[in-house]
Amino acid sequence: MKRYRVRQFSIMLVITLLVVSSGLVAQAADTLVILHTNDTHARLEPFAPASDAAPIGGMIRIATLVDELREDNRKNVLLLDAGDAWHGTNIANMFEGRSVVEVMNLMVYDAMTLGNHDFNYGQTALAERQEEAVFPVLAANVLRETTGEPIGFSAVIKPIGDLKVGIIGLTTPDTPFVTHPKNVVGLTLDDPIERAKSLAGYLRPQVDVVIALTHLGIDADEELAAAVPEIDVIVGGHSHTRIEEPVVVGSTYIVQAGEHAQELGYLEITVEGGQVTDVSRKLVPVDAEVVDHADATKVVEKWGQELKEKLGQKVGTAAILLDGERANVRTQETNLGDLVTDIMRKTVDADLAVNNGGGIRASINAGPITIGDIYTVLPFDNTLVKVEMWGRDLLDALEHSVRLYPEQNGGFLQVSGLEFMFDPSREPGTRVIDVTICGEALNLDKVYTVATNDFIAAGGDGYGMFESATIIVETGEMLRDAVVSYVIGEGTIAPDVEGRIVVVE
Protein backbone atom coordinates (compact mmCIF):
# COMPACT_ATOMS: atom_id res chain seq x y z
CA MET A 1 0.00 0.00 0.00
CA LYS A 2 1.31 3.41 -0.89
CA ARG A 3 1.59 5.67 2.15
CA TYR A 4 2.36 9.33 2.16
CA ARG A 5 2.27 12.25 4.50
CA VAL A 6 0.62 15.45 3.48
CA ARG A 7 1.39 18.96 4.64
CA GLN A 8 -0.90 21.96 4.51
CA PHE A 9 0.06 25.21 2.91
CA SER A 10 -1.93 28.26 1.92
CA ILE A 11 -2.83 29.65 -1.46
CA MET A 12 -5.33 32.32 -2.35
CA LEU A 13 -5.56 33.54 1.26
CA VAL A 14 -7.21 30.69 3.22
CA ILE A 15 -7.64 28.11 0.44
CA THR A 16 -5.48 25.03 0.99
CA LEU A 17 -4.50 22.75 -1.85
CA LEU A 18 -2.65 19.47 -1.90
CA VAL A 19 -0.74 18.98 -5.13
CA VAL A 20 0.63 15.49 -5.71
CA SER A 21 1.62 15.80 -9.35
CA SER A 22 3.11 18.07 -11.91
CA GLY A 23 3.27 18.21 -15.67
CA LEU A 24 1.11 19.19 -18.62
CA VAL A 25 -2.64 18.68 -18.91
CA ALA A 26 -3.42 15.74 -21.21
CA GLN A 27 -4.80 16.48 -24.69
CA ALA A 28 -5.53 13.01 -26.13
CA ALA A 29 -8.78 11.20 -25.32
CA ASP A 30 -8.56 9.12 -22.19
CA THR A 31 -10.92 7.41 -19.76
CA LEU A 32 -11.33 7.75 -16.03
CA VAL A 33 -13.33 5.40 -13.81
CA ILE A 34 -14.65 7.04 -10.65
CA LEU A 35 -15.61 4.53 -7.96
CA HIS A 36 -17.47 6.16 -5.11
CA THR A 37 -19.19 5.60 -1.78
CA ASN A 38 -21.22 7.90 0.45
CA ASP A 39 -23.17 7.73 3.69
CA THR A 40 -21.83 4.28 4.54
CA HIS A 41 -22.20 5.15 8.23
CA ALA A 42 -19.49 2.67 9.22
CA ARG A 43 -21.16 -0.40 7.72
CA LEU A 44 -17.94 -2.38 7.59
CA GLU A 45 -19.66 -5.77 7.56
CA PRO A 46 -22.63 -7.11 5.57
CA PHE A 47 -25.99 -6.72 7.29
CA ALA A 48 -29.48 -8.14 6.83
CA PRO A 49 -31.99 -5.42 5.80
CA ALA A 50 -34.79 -7.62 7.18
CA SER A 51 -34.94 -10.59 9.52
CA ASP A 52 -35.41 -13.12 6.72
CA ALA A 53 -33.11 -11.45 4.17
CA ALA A 54 -29.61 -12.43 3.09
CA PRO A 55 -26.86 -10.08 4.32
CA ILE A 56 -25.95 -7.30 1.87
CA GLY A 57 -23.53 -4.41 1.74
CA GLY A 58 -20.42 -3.89 3.81
CA MET A 59 -17.09 -2.25 3.13
CA ILE A 60 -15.32 -5.61 3.30
CA ARG A 61 -17.28 -6.59 0.16
CA ILE A 62 -16.80 -3.22 -1.54
CA ALA A 63 -13.06 -3.75 -1.04
CA THR A 64 -13.34 -6.89 -3.18
CA LEU A 65 -15.14 -5.02 -5.95
CA VAL A 66 -12.59 -2.22 -5.91
CA ASP A 67 -9.70 -4.69 -6.25
CA GLU A 68 -11.39 -6.39 -9.19
CA LEU A 69 -12.00 -3.11 -10.99
CA ARG A 70 -8.47 -1.91 -10.39
CA GLU A 71 -7.10 -5.10 -11.91
CA ASP A 72 -8.33 -3.89 -15.30
CA ASN A 73 -5.16 -1.98 -16.17
CA ARG A 74 -6.75 -0.45 -19.24
CA LYS A 75 -8.68 1.92 -17.05
CA ASN A 76 -7.61 4.73 -14.77
CA VAL A 77 -9.41 4.25 -11.45
CA LEU A 78 -10.17 6.82 -8.75
CA LEU A 79 -11.77 5.80 -5.42
CA LEU A 80 -13.65 8.53 -3.52
CA ASP A 81 -15.90 8.83 -0.48
CA ALA A 82 -18.43 11.65 -0.02
CA GLY A 83 -18.63 11.62 3.76
CA ASP A 84 -20.46 10.19 6.77
CA ALA A 85 -18.07 7.24 6.74
CA TRP A 86 -16.64 7.14 10.26
CA HIS A 87 -19.68 6.95 12.55
CA GLY A 88 -22.72 4.71 12.84
CA THR A 89 -22.02 1.19 14.14
CA ASN A 90 -20.65 -0.16 17.40
CA ILE A 91 -17.38 -1.29 15.83
CA ALA A 92 -16.79 2.31 14.74
CA ASN A 93 -18.37 4.31 17.55
CA MET A 94 -16.55 2.54 20.37
CA PHE A 95 -13.21 3.47 18.78
CA GLU A 96 -14.13 6.90 17.42
CA GLY A 97 -13.89 5.77 13.81
CA ARG A 98 -10.39 4.31 13.90
CA SER A 99 -11.59 0.96 12.58
CA VAL A 100 -13.17 2.58 9.53
CA VAL A 101 -10.09 4.63 8.71
CA GLU A 102 -7.96 1.48 8.84
CA VAL A 103 -10.24 -0.29 6.37
CA MET A 104 -10.30 2.76 4.08
CA ASN A 105 -6.49 2.93 4.22
CA LEU A 106 -6.29 -0.72 3.21
CA MET A 107 -8.62 0.01 0.29
CA VAL A 108 -6.35 2.92 -0.74
CA TYR A 109 -8.99 5.61 -1.09
CA ASP A 110 -7.81 8.57 -3.14
CA ALA A 111 -9.78 11.18 -1.17
CA MET A 112 -12.82 11.75 1.01
CA THR A 113 -14.77 14.79 2.09
CA LEU A 114 -16.06 15.31 5.61
CA GLY A 115 -19.72 14.61 6.29
CA ASN A 116 -21.59 16.11 9.21
CA HIS A 117 -21.51 12.83 11.18
CA ASP A 118 -17.75 12.55 10.76
CA PHE A 119 -17.66 15.33 13.39
CA ASN A 120 -19.62 13.22 15.91
CA TYR A 121 -16.63 12.26 18.05
CA GLY A 122 -15.48 15.86 18.51
CA GLN A 123 -12.65 17.84 16.99
CA THR A 124 -9.78 16.11 18.81
CA ALA A 125 -10.82 12.70 17.47
CA LEU A 126 -11.50 14.20 14.05
CA ALA A 127 -7.96 15.59 13.86
CA GLU A 128 -6.58 12.18 14.89
CA ARG A 129 -8.55 10.40 12.15
CA GLN A 130 -7.33 12.94 9.58
CA GLU A 131 -3.77 12.28 10.70
CA GLU A 132 -4.22 8.50 10.50
CA ALA A 133 -5.75 8.56 7.02
CA VAL A 134 -3.23 7.94 4.25
CA PHE A 135 -5.56 9.72 1.84
CA PRO A 136 -6.39 13.44 1.86
CA VAL A 137 -9.47 14.43 3.86
CA LEU A 138 -11.03 17.46 2.17
CA ALA A 139 -13.06 20.23 3.79
CA ALA A 140 -12.74 23.44 1.79
CA ASN A 141 -15.53 25.34 3.53
CA VAL A 142 -14.95 24.22 7.14
CA LEU A 143 -12.90 27.04 8.64
CA ARG A 144 -11.40 27.82 12.03
CA GLU A 145 -12.95 30.98 13.41
CA THR A 146 -9.61 32.17 14.85
CA THR A 147 -7.55 31.89 11.65
CA GLY A 148 -10.06 31.53 8.81
CA GLU A 149 -8.14 28.50 7.55
CA PRO A 150 -9.75 25.18 6.57
CA ILE A 151 -9.40 22.30 9.04
CA GLY A 152 -8.17 20.04 6.26
CA PHE A 153 -7.25 20.34 2.62
CA SER A 154 -9.52 22.30 0.32
CA ALA A 155 -8.56 20.40 -2.80
CA VAL A 156 -6.17 17.87 -4.26
CA ILE A 157 -4.61 17.46 -7.71
CA LYS A 158 -3.98 13.80 -8.49
CA PRO A 159 -2.35 12.13 -11.49
CA ILE A 160 -4.44 9.21 -12.74
CA GLY A 161 -2.66 7.67 -15.71
CA ASP A 162 -2.15 10.46 -18.21
CA LEU A 163 -4.87 12.58 -16.64
CA LYS A 164 -4.63 15.26 -14.00
CA VAL A 165 -7.69 15.38 -11.78
CA GLY A 166 -8.59 18.22 -9.43
CA ILE A 167 -10.87 17.29 -6.52
CA ILE A 168 -12.62 19.85 -4.29
CA GLY A 169 -14.15 18.81 -0.94
CA LEU A 170 -17.29 20.51 0.41
CA THR A 171 -19.33 19.91 3.60
CA THR A 172 -22.93 20.86 4.31
CA PRO A 173 -23.33 24.24 6.06
CA ASP A 174 -26.05 22.56 8.15
CA THR A 175 -23.37 20.62 10.05
CA PRO A 176 -23.88 22.59 13.32
CA PHE A 177 -27.48 21.32 13.30
CA VAL A 178 -26.89 17.76 12.12
CA THR A 179 -24.15 16.85 14.54
CA HIS A 180 -24.08 17.86 18.20
CA PRO A 181 -23.33 21.62 18.28
CA LYS A 182 -20.47 21.05 20.75
CA ASN A 183 -18.60 19.18 18.00
CA VAL A 184 -18.18 22.29 15.84
CA VAL A 185 -17.51 24.97 18.45
CA GLY A 186 -14.92 27.35 17.04
CA LEU A 187 -15.62 26.37 13.43
CA THR A 188 -17.39 28.27 10.67
CA LEU A 189 -19.11 26.60 7.73
CA ASP A 190 -18.55 28.84 4.72
CA ASP A 191 -20.80 29.06 1.65
CA PRO A 192 -19.85 25.96 -0.38
CA ILE A 193 -20.78 27.52 -3.71
CA GLU A 194 -18.58 30.58 -3.22
CA ARG A 195 -15.77 28.34 -2.03
CA ALA A 196 -16.15 26.09 -5.06
CA LYS A 197 -16.11 29.04 -7.46
CA SER A 198 -12.71 30.17 -6.19
CA LEU A 199 -11.19 26.70 -6.21
CA ALA A 200 -12.64 25.55 -9.52
CA GLY A 201 -11.41 28.71 -11.20
CA TYR A 202 -7.94 28.10 -9.80
CA LEU A 203 -7.85 24.40 -10.74
CA ARG A 204 -9.44 24.50 -14.18
CA PRO A 205 -6.35 25.64 -16.16
CA GLN A 206 -4.17 23.03 -14.44
CA VAL A 207 -6.21 19.85 -14.77
CA ASP A 208 -8.14 17.72 -17.23
CA VAL A 209 -11.07 17.04 -14.90
CA VAL A 210 -12.57 18.96 -11.98
CA ILE A 211 -14.53 16.89 -9.45
CA ALA A 212 -16.50 18.30 -6.54
CA LEU A 213 -16.63 15.71 -3.77
CA THR A 214 -19.55 16.95 -1.70
CA HIS A 215 -21.59 16.20 1.37
CA LEU A 216 -24.35 18.67 0.56
CA GLY A 217 -27.34 16.64 -0.69
CA ILE A 218 -28.75 16.33 -4.19
CA ASP A 219 -30.66 19.64 -4.20
CA ALA A 220 -27.60 21.61 -3.16
CA ASP A 221 -25.49 19.67 -5.66
CA GLU A 222 -27.78 20.80 -8.47
CA GLU A 223 -27.44 24.40 -7.31
CA LEU A 224 -23.67 23.97 -7.18
CA ALA A 225 -23.56 22.59 -10.72
CA ALA A 226 -25.60 25.50 -12.06
CA ALA A 227 -23.44 28.08 -10.27
CA VAL A 228 -20.00 26.58 -11.02
CA PRO A 229 -19.92 25.23 -14.59
CA GLU A 230 -16.16 24.59 -14.33
CA ILE A 231 -17.02 21.43 -12.37
CA ASP A 232 -17.22 18.34 -14.59
CA VAL A 233 -18.49 15.81 -12.03
CA ILE A 234 -20.11 16.09 -8.62
CA VAL A 235 -19.76 12.99 -6.45
CA GLY A 236 -22.25 13.65 -3.71
CA GLY A 237 -23.61 12.46 -0.40
CA HIS A 238 -25.74 13.53 2.57
CA SER A 239 -29.19 12.99 1.03
CA HIS A 240 -28.63 9.21 0.66
CA THR A 241 -29.86 9.46 -2.92
CA ARG A 242 -29.64 6.43 -5.17
CA ILE A 243 -28.77 7.85 -8.59
CA GLU A 244 -28.80 5.22 -11.34
CA GLU A 245 -28.28 7.62 -14.25
CA PRO A 246 -26.28 10.81 -13.71
CA VAL A 247 -28.26 13.97 -13.05
CA VAL A 248 -27.06 16.43 -15.68
CA VAL A 249 -27.01 20.17 -15.04
CA GLY A 250 -25.44 22.04 -17.93
CA SER A 251 -22.29 20.05 -18.65
CA THR A 252 -21.92 18.75 -15.06
CA TYR A 253 -22.72 15.15 -14.11
CA ILE A 254 -24.00 14.46 -10.58
CA VAL A 255 -23.87 11.01 -8.94
CA GLN A 256 -24.57 9.41 -5.55
CA ALA A 257 -24.63 5.78 -4.41
CA GLY A 258 -27.45 5.52 -1.88
CA GLU A 259 -26.40 4.53 1.62
CA HIS A 260 -24.87 1.97 3.97
CA ALA A 261 -22.41 0.45 1.48
CA GLN A 262 -25.20 -1.42 -0.31
CA GLU A 263 -23.89 -0.44 -3.75
CA LEU A 264 -20.64 0.82 -5.21
CA GLY A 265 -20.97 3.81 -7.49
CA TYR A 266 -19.28 3.50 -10.90
CA LEU A 267 -18.90 6.36 -13.37
CA GLU A 268 -16.66 6.07 -16.40
CA ILE A 269 -15.93 9.28 -18.28
CA THR A 270 -14.07 9.95 -21.50
CA VAL A 271 -11.95 13.09 -21.40
CA GLU A 272 -10.52 14.89 -24.40
CA GLY A 273 -8.87 18.30 -24.37
CA GLY A 274 -10.12 19.04 -20.88
CA GLN A 275 -13.72 18.18 -21.80
CA VAL A 276 -15.88 15.23 -20.78
CA THR A 277 -17.12 13.79 -24.05
CA ASP A 278 -18.83 10.58 -22.94
CA VAL A 279 -20.06 8.89 -19.75
CA SER A 280 -21.06 5.40 -18.63
CA ARG A 281 -22.83 4.87 -15.30
CA LYS A 282 -23.90 1.98 -13.07
CA LEU A 283 -24.47 1.07 -9.46
CA VAL A 284 -22.72 -2.18 -8.61
CA PRO A 285 -24.76 -4.23 -6.10
CA VAL A 286 -22.94 -5.40 -2.98
CA ASP A 287 -24.88 -8.63 -2.57
CA ALA A 288 -24.22 -12.22 -1.47
CA GLU A 289 -22.38 -12.94 -4.73
CA VAL A 290 -19.58 -10.59 -3.67
CA VAL A 291 -17.08 -12.36 -1.41
CA ASP A 292 -15.61 -10.72 1.67
CA HIS A 293 -12.16 -9.24 1.12
CA ALA A 294 -9.70 -11.39 3.08
CA ASP A 295 -7.42 -8.62 4.33
CA ALA A 296 -10.27 -6.23 5.13
CA THR A 297 -12.03 -9.03 7.01
CA LYS A 298 -8.94 -9.57 9.17
CA VAL A 299 -8.94 -5.88 10.09
CA VAL A 300 -12.62 -5.99 11.03
CA GLU A 301 -12.19 -9.20 13.04
CA LYS A 302 -9.37 -7.56 15.01
CA TRP A 303 -11.57 -4.59 15.90
CA GLY A 304 -14.47 -6.93 16.62
CA GLN A 305 -12.42 -8.69 19.28
CA GLU A 306 -11.50 -5.34 20.81
CA LEU A 307 -15.19 -4.39 20.73
CA LYS A 308 -16.10 -7.53 22.64
CA GLU A 309 -13.57 -6.63 25.32
CA LYS A 310 -14.73 -3.01 25.40
CA LEU A 311 -18.36 -3.96 25.96
CA GLY A 312 -17.32 -5.77 29.13
CA GLN A 313 -15.86 -2.64 30.71
CA LYS A 314 -17.54 -1.27 33.82
CA VAL A 315 -18.77 2.33 33.49
CA GLY A 316 -20.76 2.77 36.70
CA THR A 317 -22.92 1.20 39.38
CA ALA A 318 -26.67 0.79 39.73
CA ALA A 319 -27.63 1.27 43.39
CA ILE A 320 -31.05 -0.26 42.64
CA LEU A 321 -32.72 -2.31 39.93
CA LEU A 322 -33.22 -0.27 36.75
CA ASP A 323 -36.59 -1.47 35.47
CA GLY A 324 -36.71 -2.05 31.74
CA GLU A 325 -39.04 -5.06 31.76
CA ARG A 326 -41.08 -5.29 28.58
CA ALA A 327 -44.48 -5.32 30.28
CA ASN A 328 -43.58 -2.29 32.40
CA VAL A 329 -41.94 0.11 29.92
CA ARG A 330 -44.88 -0.44 27.55
CA THR A 331 -47.61 0.37 30.09
CA GLN A 332 -46.24 2.61 32.85
CA GLU A 333 -43.49 4.92 34.02
CA THR A 334 -40.32 3.13 35.13
CA ASN A 335 -37.15 4.39 36.76
CA LEU A 336 -35.10 3.30 33.75
CA GLY A 337 -37.50 5.12 31.43
CA ASP A 338 -37.09 8.22 33.60
CA LEU A 339 -33.30 7.89 33.51
CA VAL A 340 -33.08 7.50 29.73
CA THR A 341 -35.39 10.44 29.00
CA ASP A 342 -33.66 12.64 31.59
CA ILE A 343 -30.37 11.98 29.82
CA MET A 344 -31.94 12.80 26.46
CA ARG A 345 -33.39 16.09 27.71
CA LYS A 346 -30.16 17.19 29.41
CA THR A 347 -27.91 16.20 26.52
CA VAL A 348 -29.63 18.52 24.02
CA ASP A 349 -31.00 21.05 26.55
CA ALA A 350 -34.67 20.60 25.64
CA ASP A 351 -37.86 21.52 27.51
CA LEU A 352 -38.90 17.88 27.63
CA ALA A 353 -38.06 14.45 26.28
CA VAL A 354 -40.05 11.45 25.09
CA ASN A 355 -38.87 7.96 24.16
CA ASN A 356 -40.90 4.97 23.03
CA GLY A 357 -40.99 2.25 25.65
CA GLY A 358 -40.42 -0.37 22.97
CA GLY A 359 -36.94 1.04 22.46
CA ILE A 360 -35.98 -0.12 25.97
CA ARG A 361 -35.33 -3.85 25.81
CA ALA A 362 -33.93 -4.98 29.16
CA SER A 363 -33.44 -4.18 32.83
CA ILE A 364 -30.13 -3.59 34.62
CA ASN A 365 -29.71 -5.32 37.95
CA ALA A 366 -28.30 -3.55 40.98
CA GLY A 367 -24.52 -3.70 40.87
CA PRO A 368 -21.85 -2.94 38.27
CA ILE A 369 -23.00 -1.48 34.93
CA THR A 370 -21.01 -2.38 31.81
CA ILE A 371 -21.14 -0.80 28.39
CA GLY A 372 -22.64 -4.07 27.17
CA ASP A 373 -25.47 -3.75 29.71
CA ILE A 374 -26.44 -0.36 28.31
CA TYR A 375 -26.17 -1.59 24.72
CA THR A 376 -28.49 -4.48 25.64
CA VAL A 377 -31.02 -2.03 27.08
CA LEU A 378 -30.82 0.19 23.95
CA PRO A 379 -29.90 -2.17 21.08
CA PHE A 380 -31.30 -0.10 18.22
CA ASP A 381 -29.26 2.38 16.20
CA ASN A 382 -31.48 5.26 17.31
CA THR A 383 -29.90 8.70 17.39
CA LEU A 384 -30.75 11.70 19.55
CA VAL A 385 -32.57 14.64 17.97
CA LYS A 386 -34.17 17.85 19.19
CA VAL A 387 -37.33 19.21 17.61
CA GLU A 388 -39.68 22.13 18.01
CA MET A 389 -43.38 21.34 18.11
CA TRP A 390 -46.67 22.91 19.14
CA GLY A 391 -48.32 22.11 22.45
CA ARG A 392 -51.37 20.78 20.61
CA ASP A 393 -49.17 18.25 18.81
CA LEU A 394 -47.64 17.20 22.12
CA LEU A 395 -51.11 16.55 23.46
CA ASP A 396 -51.86 14.43 20.39
CA ALA A 397 -48.64 12.50 21.01
CA LEU A 398 -49.61 11.77 24.62
CA GLU A 399 -53.07 10.64 23.53
CA HIS A 400 -51.44 8.34 20.99
CA SER A 401 -49.15 6.99 23.71
CA VAL A 402 -51.99 5.84 25.98
CA ARG A 403 -54.64 4.93 23.41
CA LEU A 404 -54.13 1.16 23.82
CA TYR A 405 -53.74 1.07 27.61
CA PRO A 406 -53.81 -1.36 29.45
CA GLU A 407 -52.55 -3.35 26.46
CA GLN A 408 -48.77 -3.43 26.10
CA ASN A 409 -47.72 -0.94 23.46
CA GLY A 410 -44.20 -0.33 22.15
CA GLY A 411 -45.22 3.25 21.42
CA PHE A 412 -46.04 3.99 25.07
CA LEU A 413 -43.93 7.02 25.94
CA GLN A 414 -41.45 7.33 28.79
CA VAL A 415 -41.09 11.05 29.53
CA SER A 416 -38.94 13.73 31.14
CA GLY A 417 -39.71 17.39 31.83
CA LEU A 418 -43.45 16.78 31.89
CA GLU A 419 -46.11 15.11 33.97
CA PHE A 420 -49.46 13.91 32.69
CA MET A 421 -52.56 12.16 33.95
CA PHE A 422 -54.87 9.98 31.89
CA ASP A 423 -58.17 8.20 32.41
CA PRO A 424 -58.33 4.81 30.62
CA SER A 425 -62.11 4.68 31.06
CA ARG A 426 -62.44 7.42 28.42
CA GLU A 427 -62.46 6.88 24.68
CA PRO A 428 -59.01 6.79 23.02
CA GLY A 429 -58.08 10.28 21.92
CA THR A 430 -59.75 11.89 24.96
CA ARG A 431 -57.93 10.12 27.78
CA VAL A 432 -55.30 12.71 28.75
CA ILE A 433 -56.87 15.02 31.35
CA ASP A 434 -53.92 17.01 32.71
CA VAL A 435 -50.44 17.91 31.44
CA THR A 436 -47.76 20.09 33.02
CA ILE A 437 -44.40 20.99 31.48
CA CYS A 438 -41.67 22.32 33.73
CA GLY A 439 -44.31 22.93 36.39
CA GLU A 440 -46.68 24.90 34.13
CA ALA A 441 -49.87 23.79 32.41
CA LEU A 442 -49.45 22.70 28.79
CA ASN A 443 -50.10 25.61 26.42
CA LEU A 444 -51.56 24.29 23.18
CA ASP A 445 -50.42 27.41 21.31
CA LYS A 446 -46.84 27.38 22.55
CA VAL A 447 -43.83 25.89 20.80
CA TYR A 448 -41.76 23.53 22.95
CA THR A 449 -38.38 21.94 22.38
CA VAL A 450 -38.51 18.16 22.59
CA ALA A 451 -35.68 15.63 22.78
CA THR A 452 -36.54 12.31 21.17
CA ASN A 453 -34.99 9.64 18.97
CA ASP A 454 -34.81 9.73 15.20
CA PHE A 455 -37.33 6.87 14.94
CA ILE A 456 -40.06 8.84 16.68
CA ALA A 457 -39.03 12.07 14.92
CA ALA A 458 -39.63 10.33 11.59
CA GLY A 459 -43.15 9.30 12.63
CA GLY A 460 -42.26 5.83 13.91
CA ASP A 461 -44.77 3.91 16.07
CA GLY A 462 -47.52 5.97 14.48
CA TYR A 463 -46.31 9.34 15.76
CA GLY A 464 -47.23 11.22 12.59
CA MET A 465 -47.54 14.48 14.53
CA PHE A 466 -43.73 14.50 14.84
CA GLU A 467 -43.38 14.62 11.07
CA SER A 468 -44.64 18.21 11.14
CA ALA A 469 -42.21 19.16 13.91
CA THR A 470 -39.09 21.14 13.03
CA ILE A 471 -35.81 19.35 13.65
CA ILE A 472 -33.40 21.88 15.12
CA VAL A 473 -30.60 19.55 16.25
CA GLU A 474 -29.83 16.17 14.73
CA THR A 475 -26.87 15.08 16.84
CA GLY A 476 -26.07 11.82 15.08
CA GLU A 477 -25.15 10.53 18.54
CA MET A 478 -26.51 7.11 19.37
CA LEU A 479 -28.89 7.25 22.32
CA ARG A 480 -27.02 4.38 23.98
CA ASP A 481 -23.72 6.28 23.69
CA ALA A 482 -25.28 9.31 25.38
CA VAL A 483 -26.38 7.03 28.23
CA VAL A 484 -22.88 5.52 28.51
CA SER A 485 -21.34 8.99 28.75
CA TYR A 486 -23.83 10.03 31.41
CA VAL A 487 -23.27 6.93 33.55
CA ILE A 488 -19.50 7.40 33.36
CA GLY A 489 -19.94 10.96 34.58
CA GLU A 490 -22.32 10.07 37.42
CA GLY A 491 -20.69 6.88 38.66
CA THR A 492 -23.59 5.62 40.76
CA ILE A 493 -27.17 5.60 39.43
CA ALA A 494 -30.28 5.44 41.61
CA PRO A 495 -33.31 6.94 39.80
CA ASP A 496 -36.76 6.88 41.41
CA VAL A 497 -40.18 6.61 39.81
CA GLU A 498 -41.34 10.21 40.22
CA GLY A 499 -45.00 10.08 39.29
CA ARG A 500 -44.60 11.58 35.86
CA ILE A 501 -47.34 9.35 34.42
CA VAL A 502 -50.46 8.96 36.56
CA VAL A 503 -53.32 6.61 35.77
CA VAL A 504 -56.75 7.60 37.07
CA GLU A 505 -58.25 4.48 38.68
Side-chain angles (χ1 to χ4, degrees), residues 192-231:
I193 289 179
E194 292 305 311
R195 210 74 173 141
K197 284 179 180 178
S198 297
L199 281 163
Y202 179 83
L203 291 171
R204 185 75 267 179
Q206 305 180 59
V207 299
D208 302 285
V209 182
V210 174
I211 298 173
L213 185 57
T214 74
H215 197 83
L216 303 175
I218 182 59
D219 293 341
D221 282 340
E222 291 183 19
E223 294 177 10
L224 175 65
V228 191
E230 294 90 348
I231 298 172

Side-chain angles (χ1 to χ4, degrees), residues 123 127 130 142-152 186-188:
Q123 293 180 47
Q130 289 175 287
V142 184
L143 312 177
R144 300 191 188 282
E145 290 179 352
T146 53
T147 64
E149 295 182 353
I151 65 170
L187 300 180
T188 299

Side-chain angles (χ1 to χ4, degrees), residues 74 102 116 132 137 143 192 217 246-247 314 316 343 419 428 430 442 464:
R74 295 171 300 168
E102 185 169 348
N116 49 286
E132 292 161 4
V137 179
L143 312 177
V247 175
K314 177 185 172 181
I343 293 169
E419 299 173 357
T430 65
L442 172 68

